[in-house]
Amino acid sequence: MPTQQVRYEIRAALPSDHDALLALAQHLNSVNLPADSAAVSRLLQRSAESFQGDALPEPKRKYVFLLYDNQERRAVGTSTIVAQLGSRDAPYIYFDVFTEEKYSRDLNLHFEHEALRIGFSYDGPTELGGLVVDPAYRRAPERLGLCISYVRFLFIAARRAAFQEQLLAELLPPLEADGTSHLWNALGRRFTNMSYREADRLSHENKDFIRDLFPSAPVYASLLDEAARSVIGQVGEQTRGVEKMLRRVGFYYGNRVDPFDGGPHFFAETGQVTLVQRYRALPVQAVSEPPQSRGLVARFYDESPYFRALPADLYMGEEQLGVSADVLSALDVQSGDVLHAIPTP
């Protein structure tokens, strides 16, 4: 069990965390974490089967990480890795954003039309998603938002063979105060007769309706109203911090957006992400005064809880990690055992 000195930990989210995760969901009721008990149960069951290793084939695994406050005994954040986005049962669906030029020599008129073309992939990238942090904890000195986000890169680096060679992160665009999408109301709703939230929730279970009902021909953005056009590929205020972090570690906007709300898709080659490059698995040594360099240190377990990571002061050398004795005790390891680590600059 964690010692009192280690307040925050990140661990594999399992069915036993249902009440804690549902309480967080009910507090926030976000698109990334719906406040629905049955949905949370399904999410945690799949997470458990993913962390167990042999319960699901690698492409179908979905890892959910839980940020837990041991002092207050509550979940305060979560994030997710989808090992492979897109399969024959549930393809990765997107809009490619491109420009088509039109010119009339007779009228001497030239236009550049932004257009959207629906696309499908059955063998897509690894997706980083589900990032949620309780607003009360976002300004904590431990930089908890970065920790619950960065832990996914540590996990991917430590288990590279289980993931794709390209990573994807989808960011929310500007949304209305009630959570609705201008683009969905102007486009998606006309082809499905569903609200944004209804369609988004259904898509987590079944994406056939998008493939069946959305137009296959390109859609010219100039035919949409200004409110809908203005959100295509734009990052909403609530995710600007995530965009900044993604660009800092090597992601770029891929001229591809979510077909529901126009949120931009950011991509990176897995091996080019700076945090993956800086990952280390090294023997650990207890040090009385770790240098004031922050990072995440983690351990894998053969049984539940399967994975745990702690924000910590640490020293990352070429051949050894140095952390406090409290961290070793919290992870139940001895000096000389191998731990996994990344810096959190």
Side-chain angles (χ1 to χ4, degrees):
M1 295 296 292
T3 64
Q4 292 182 350
Q5 289 81 0
V6 179
R7 177 171 179 178
Y8 300 106
E9 68 171 285
I10 299 169
R11 64 174 186 248
L14 304 174
S16 58
D17 294 308
H18 174 273
D19 291 349
L21 191 59
L22 182 61
L24 178 64
Q26 290 172 335
H27 176 63
L28 298 176
N29 195 26
S30 72
V31 173
N32 283 334
L33 186 62
D36 181 285
S37 179
V40 169
S41 293
R42 290 193 296 270
L43 181 67
L44 292 176
Q45 181 59 39
R46 187 171 173 188
S47 177
E49 292 172 354
S50 300
F51 280 104
Q52 286 166 11
D54 56 357
L56 281 177
E58 287 181 350
K60 292 186 177 294
R61 294 178 189 174
K62 186 173 185 177
Y63 304 87
V64 183
F65 301 89
L66 189 73
L67 173 61
Y68 197 79
D69 182 343
N70 288 309
Q71 179 175 300
E72 299 294 331
R73 296 185 177 275
R74 57 182 296 223
V76 298
T78 184
S79 64
T80 301
I81 303 172
V82 178
Q84 179 180 301
L85 190 61
S87 65
R88 292 186 177 182
D89 297 331
Y92 161 39
I93 305 176
Y94 51 85
F95 274 142
D96 276 326
V97 183
F98 65 98
T99 299
E100 185 174 281
E101 296 191 48
K102 294 290 187 179
Y103 174 65
S104 170
R105 183 168 53 185
D106 293 338
L107 299 178
N108 192 29
L109 289 176
H110 175 263
F111 292 94
E112 291 186 354
H113 295 287
E114 184 178 56
L116 307 173
R117 181 190 294 115
I118 199 164
F120 305 91
S121 174
Y122 300 89
D123 184 17
T126 290
E127 182 185 19
L128 308 180
L131 181 61
V132 175
V133 179
D134 187 321
Y137 286 78
R138 291 175 186 172
R139 296 187 180 277
E142 292 85 356
R143 305 181 75 185
L144 298 173
L146 280 183
C147 291
I148 190 62
S149 182
Y150 281 6
V151 73
R152 298 171 297 183
F153 297 109
L154 184 156
F155 193 89
I156 289 170
R159 296 288 188 266
R160 280 291 298 277
F163 302 103
Q164 303 292 85
E165 289 304 312
Q166 187 178 57
L167 304 179
L168 160 70
E170 177 189 322
L171 300 189
L172 285 174
L175 297 175
E176 290 294 278
D178 62 357
T180 58
S181 161
H182 286 301
L183 183 64
W184 180 261
N185 289 336
L187 182 59
R189 188 161 196 156
R190 296 178 182 272
F191 291 96
T192 65
N193 200 30
M194 284 188 282
S195 72
Y196 173 60
R197 282 191 176 271
E198 287 171 339
D200 186 69
R201 290 184 180 182
L202 177 59
S203 73
H204 289 289
E205 306 299 326
N206 188 328
K207 292 182 170 62
D208 287 348
F209 73 98
I210 308 173
R211 181 172 46 193
D212 296 340
L213 298 177
F214 266 54
S216 56
V219 175
Y220 289 93
S222 56
L223 298 177
L224 306 176
D225 59 55
E226 174 58 29
R229 293 198 305 271
S230 67
V231 301
I232 297 172
Q234 299 302 306
V235 178
E237 189 64 35
Q238 69 273 43
T239 49
R240 290 194 183 280
V242 178
E243 178 193 14
K244 183 178 179 180
M245 180 276 294
L246 290 173
R247 290 188 183 278
R248 184 169 61 241
V249 301
F251 281 72
Y252 57 90
Y253 171 50
N255 292 313
R256 184 171 286 181
V257 301
D258 180 76
F260 291 94
D261 53 34
H265 288 187
F266 279 74
F267 295 91
E269 304 310 309
T270 304
Q272 297 301 310
V273 175
T274 58
L275 290 171
V276 173
Q277 293 175 341
R278 299 179 70 183
Y279 156 82
R280 296 291 184 272
L282 294 169
V284 67
Q285 181 70 37
V287 293
S288 57
E289 294 184 7
Q292 294 302 306
S293 175
R294 295 294 291 178
L296 286 171
V297 291
R299 178 188 172 187
F300 289 82
Y301 303 82
D302 293 331
E303 299 178 345
S304 178
Y306 302 109
F307 174 83
R308 290 178 61 229
L310 304 177
D313 292 330
L314 77 163
Y315 165 74
M316 292 182 65
E318 291 297 320
E319 299 181 355
Q320 184 175 280
L321 295 173
V323 297
S324 70
D326 288 337
V327 171
L328 294 187
S329 176
L331 291 175
D332 192 23
V333 296
Q334 306 293 323
S335 290
D337 291 343
V338 173
L339 289 183
H340 307 263
I342 60 169
T344 54

